[in-house]
Amino acid sequence: MLKRWPLRNEAESEWVSISDLMSVLMMIFLFIAISYMHNVQQNQLNVKKVAVAYQELQTDLYLELWEEFKEDLPSWKAAIEKETLTIRFEEPEVLFGIGSAELSDKFLIILKDFFPRYVRIISSDKYRKNIEEIRIEGHTSSEWNGESKEMEAYFNNMSLSQNRTRSVLKHCLSLIHEPETLSWSKQYITANGLSSSQLIKSANGIEDKQKSRRVEFRTKTNAEKKVVEIIERMEKI
């Protein structure tokens, strides 16, 4: 039997069909690539927007806190750190008695003046949705009675710093009289005793024991959390 060769028209028809199929596949691949690039660019834009919003939020909150407290900071022996939105009370003799978690009379007066104004700002409509946590942090020097072993001193100071921040938190909450603000504060304000884990050191690396003994009010926003969520979505694409 003689083999039948495809006619020219039939061969051209098959070639056209394959060509059309390849064109369709190329269009599909191109569409997928464009969609992918669009999603990546959109997520990158979202990260940039969050970063810009975070910077603006940090600046606005810092400036508002600064304007509110700038006249009081010297007499309180306190300072505001812009980068971390931290208000630091730096004079240990003003805060507590030696080895004690009981607030001094002077610190009670300072907190009565400071905290209602502070919580009014951070819980305002402008900031409250962007607040992740308000940390009351207690810090100590590395020494304990000048004689304890290093690990023993660390845990003694841990217990002391935890008790001190609980005392500060308890007193601060007692100064809030609006139920809604109190409910918000209980949800977002925490007490954190950190012992000597974050010492303040001089330029030559030597511990500044006086400045290491401090209480800080540190504001954490949720901007970093939002950036992480966007990056995780990008990784799943």
Side-chain angles (χ1 to χ4, degrees):
M1 176 182 287
L2 295 175
K3 184 176 180 180
R4 179 178 177 274
W5 293 96
L7 297 176
R8 180 176 179 180
N9 289 341
E10 292 177 343
E12 288 179 350
S13 177
E14 289 181 7
W15 172 252
V16 170
S17 297
I18 294 173
S19 177
D20 289 344
L21 177 61
M22 292 299 296
S23 297
V24 170
L25 290 175
M26 287 297 294
M27 290 296 295
I28 292 174
F29 290 142
L30 182 60
F31 176 77
I32 293 173
I34 292 173
S35 298
Y36 173 80
M37 291 301 298
H38 174 75
N39 288 335
V40 169
Q41 291 174 353
Q42 187 62 45
N43 282 324
Q44 290 175 339
L45 181 61
N46 289 338
V47 170
K48 184 177 180 179
K49 286 181 178 179
V50 171
V52 170
Y54 169 72
Q55 185 62 44
E56 292 176 349
L57 178 74
Q58 291 275 111
T59 301
D60 289 350
L61 183 50
Y62 166 75
L63 290 175
E64 196 160 343
L65 291 171
W66 172 253
E67 286 299 320
E68 181 69 30
F69 297 118
K70 63 183 179 181
E71 302 296 332
D72 302 298
L73 295 175
S75 62
W76 291 349
K77 306 296 183 182
I80 300 180
E81 186 177 283
K82 181 178 180 180
E83 290 74 16
T84 58
L85 293 176
T86 296
I87 297 180
R88 177 180 297 126
F89 294 91
E90 301 178 315
E91 193 68 32
E93 286 76 15
V94 172
L95 309 177
F96 309 93
I98 297 176
S100 172
E102 184 176 351
L103 280 67
S104 70
D105 291 340
K106 187 169 184 179
F107 196 30
L108 288 171
I109 294 172
I110 290 173
L111 289 174
K112 185 177 181 180
D113 187 13
F114 159 75
F115 188 74
R117 295 155 63 191
Y118 175 71
V119 79
R120 172 180 56 79
I121 293 173
I122 62 175
S123 66
S124 66
D125 291 339
K126 183 176 181 180
Y127 301 114
R128 64 190 306 158
K129 292 181 180 179
N130 295 296
I131 299 297
E132 181 175 330
E133 183 183 11
I134 306 297
R135 296 172 57 89
I136 301 176
E137 296 184 351
H139 301 266
T140 69
S141 66
S142 62
E143 65 180 6
W144 179 268
N145 292 335
E147 299 179 357
S148 300
K149 294 180 180 179
E150 181 179 347
M151 191 61 68
E152 182 182 353
Y154 175 80
F155 281 107
N156 284 337
N157 280 317
M158 178 65 74
S159 178
L160 177 62
S161 62
Q162 289 173 342
N163 290 336
R164 284 178 167 177
T165 53
R166 281 197 297 267
S167 295
V168 173
L169 176 59
K170 182 178 179 180
H171 182 67
C172 286
L173 293 181
S174 74
L175 298 172
I176 302 174
H177 304 297
E178 301 81 8
E180 183 182 352
T181 303
L182 178 60
S183 177
W184 184 90
S185 298
K186 288 164 63 178
Q187 182 177 356
Y188 288 97
I189 303 177
T190 63
N192 305 269
L194 300 177
S195 187
S196 57
S197 61
Q198 297 181 18
L199 297 173
I200 292 180
K201 298 182 179 182
S202 61
N204 57 9
I206 299 176
E207 174 189 352
D208 188 325
K209 295 179 181 179
Q210 182 80 359
K211 289 187 176 181
S212 292
R213 304 184 187 108
R214 64 200 190 275
V215 170
E216 298 180 346
F217 287 75
R218 184 185 299 265
T219 303
K220 293 183 64 179
T221 69
N222 58 13
E224 181 179 347
K225 182 178 179 180
K226 290 182 179 179
V227 170
V228 171
E229 290 175 352
I230 293 172
I231 292 174
E232 288 177 346
R233 289 202 301 268
M234 289 174 65
E235 292 175 347
K236 292 179 182 179
I237 296 175

